[in-house]
Amino acid sequence: MLGTHRLIAGLFCILVISLATQALAAEDDSMGIIEFNGLEWYVGPNNVDWMAAMTFCENLAEDGGGWRMPTLEELRGLYTGSQNKDSHHSLPEAFMGKELDIWYAWSGETRDDSSAWSFSFSTGEEDWGAYGHFGGSIRAFAVRSPR
């Protein structure tokens, strides 16, 4: 009996994750694949917690998949240090093709067993948040080596 309940609970969790991933993909306002600093980038959904960002990156099938969350160093490599006059974010022009709220992006680097690092594109600072933290404008970025 207990085994059946665990099986049902496990299947329910898989269903919830699948539906959440589909919802994130439907809300995705990406600009497609952007090549920058020797990597391919994909700007994903906004206002997501770390777990949703991780799920988005792991399940992104764009152009054959193979995506992951960026490191802090990779996110730092996008920071220009001079704010774009229209967006007030310090990102390269390649990322400015659309009006996007890109204040912060989640990193794939964890701080401890309940929090992870994010990077601010307005200040260039690193910060951390709990896995379930939605905060204002934390976006999922996916990255991979060029294909």
Side-chain angles (χ1 to χ4, degrees), residues 18-93:
S18 175
L19 291 174
T21 302
Q22 290 172 12
L24 286 175
E27 293 176 11
D28 178 20
D29 55 2
S30 175
M31 298 175 286
I33 297 172
I34 300 167
E35 293 186 27
F36 190 80
N37 281 354
L39 295 169
E40 292 181 339
W41 293 85
Y42 196 92
V43 180
N46 199 18
N47 296 320
V48 294
D49 67 19
W50 187 83
M51 296 298 260
M54 176 66 79
T55 300
F56 175 81
C57 293
E58 289 176 348
N59 293 309
L60 183 61
E62 183 75 20
D63 196 35
W67 299 93
R68 61 176 171 78
M69 291 180 81
T71 64
L72 280 172
E73 182 177 342
E74 290 166 339
L75 291 170
R76 264 187 240 111
L78 296 180
Y79 182 71
T80 64
S82 59
Q83 290 187 348
N84 179 298
K85 65 181 178 175
D86 297 323
S87 68
H88 306 292
H89 307 139
S90 298
L91 281 165
E93 285 298 318

Side-chain angles (χ1 to χ4, degrees), residues 45-49 103-106 118 133-140:
N46 199 18
N47 296 320
V48 294
D49 67 19
W103 294 101
Y104 286 89
W106 284 113
S118 63
H133 175 71
F134 279 93
S137 284
I138 303 181
R139 187 173 282 279

